[in-house]
C-alpha cells in the first residue's frame, strides 16, 4: 500500500512539473512579443494631445488641495501635519533621549519643508494654467490659437 501511494505521488509530481515546464515557454513568448496586442499599438504612437481638457477640469480641485496643504504645513504646534508640530515631536524625542526617533522625524521634517517649497512654486504655475483654461475654452480641442 505504501509503495502505491509513493508511486502515485511521484507520478502526480512529474505530471505537474511537466505541465509547468510545457506552459512556461508559452507564457514567456506571450509576454516577450509586443506584436498583435491592441494595447501595445495604441501606446506605440504616444499621446494624442497634451491633456489640456482634463487638466483644466482638475485645476480648481488641485488648487484647493495645494492651498489646504500649505495651510496645514504652516499651521501652529497644535495642527497635525504642520512643520511646527513635527519640530515639537523632534524636541520631545530628544528630550526623552530617543535619538533614532528624532533622526527619523528630522528626515521627515526635511522632506516636509521641501514639499512646502515645491507647493509654493506650483501654486503660481497652476494659476497660470487656470488663466490659460479660461482664455482657451477650458482646453477643448481646436480652441487654442495656433502660433504663427
Amino acid at each position: 500500500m505504501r509503495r502505491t501511494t509513493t508511486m502515485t505521488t511521484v507520478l502526480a509530481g512529474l505530471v505537474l512539473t511537466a505541465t509547468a515546464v510545457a506552459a512556461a515557454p508559452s507564457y514567456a513568448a506571450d509576454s516577450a512579443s509586443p506584436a498583435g496586442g491592441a494595447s501595445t499599438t495604441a501606446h506605440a504612437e504616444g499621446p494624442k494631445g497634451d491633456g489640456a481638457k482634463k487638466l483644466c477640469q482638475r485645476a480648481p480641485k488641485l488648487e484647493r488641495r495645494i492651498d489646504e496643504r500649505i495651510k496645514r504645513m504652516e499651521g501652529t504646534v497644535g495642527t497635525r501635519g504642520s512643520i511646527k508640530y513635527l519640530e515639537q515631536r523632534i524636541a520631545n524625542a530628544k528630550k526623552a533621549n530617543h535619538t533614532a526617533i528624532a533622526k527619523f522625524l528630522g528626515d521627515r521634517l526635511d522632506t516636509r519643508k521641501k514639499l512646502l517649497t515645491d507647493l509654493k512654486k506650483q501654486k503660481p504655475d497652476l494659476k497660470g494654467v487656470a488663466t490659460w483654461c479660461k482664455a482657451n475654452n477650458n482646453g477643448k480641442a481646436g480652441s487654442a490659437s495656433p502660433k504663427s
Side-chain angles (χ1 to χ4, degrees):
M1 182 78 168
R2 186 174 190 181
R3 184 177 171 162
T4 307
T5 306
T6 305
M7 206 52 161
T8 306
T9 306
V10 169
L11 285 175
L14 287 174
V15 169
L16 287 174
T17 305
T19 305
V21 170
S26 67
Y27 292 137
D30 289 346
S31 64
S33 63
S39 63
T40 56
T41 54
H43 293 292
E45 298 171 8
K48 292 183 180 177
D50 60 357
K53 183 178 177 184
K54 287 289 184 185
L55 184 58
C56 288
Q57 289 174 349
R58 292 190 344 245
K61 185 176 181 180
L62 289 172
E63 193 171 349
R64 268 193 312 274
R65 288 175 64 191
I66 288 174
D67 289 340
E68 289 170 0
R69 286 184 180 170
I70 289 173
K71 182 180 175 186
R72 183 182 332 119
M73 287 184 187
E74 291 178 337
T76 63
V77 176
T79 305
R80 290 185 71 167
S82 71
I83 290 174
K84 291 180 182 176
Y85 182 86
L86 193 52
E87 288 171 342
Q88 182 63 46
R89 286 183 64 194
I90 293 169
N92 292 345
K94 286 181 181 177
K95 192 165 114 179
N97 201 22
H98 297 158
T99 54
I101 304 286
K103 182 184 179 328
F104 175 77
L105 293 173
D107 292 342
R108 287 181 64 187
L109 179 64
D110 293 340
T111 302
R112 194 163 294 172
K113 286 180 178 178
K114 289 176 190 171
L115 178 61
L116 180 62
T117 305
D118 290 344
L119 289 173
K120 286 183 176 181
K121 286 179 184 175
Q122 288 176 0
K123 192 172 178 178
D125 293 342
L126 195 56
K127 294 256 185 215
V129 169
T131 303
W132 182 91
C133 289
K134 285 181 184 177
N136 291 289
N137 196 20
N138 285 327
K140 292 191 175 121
S143 63
S145 58
K147 291 184 178 183
S148 49

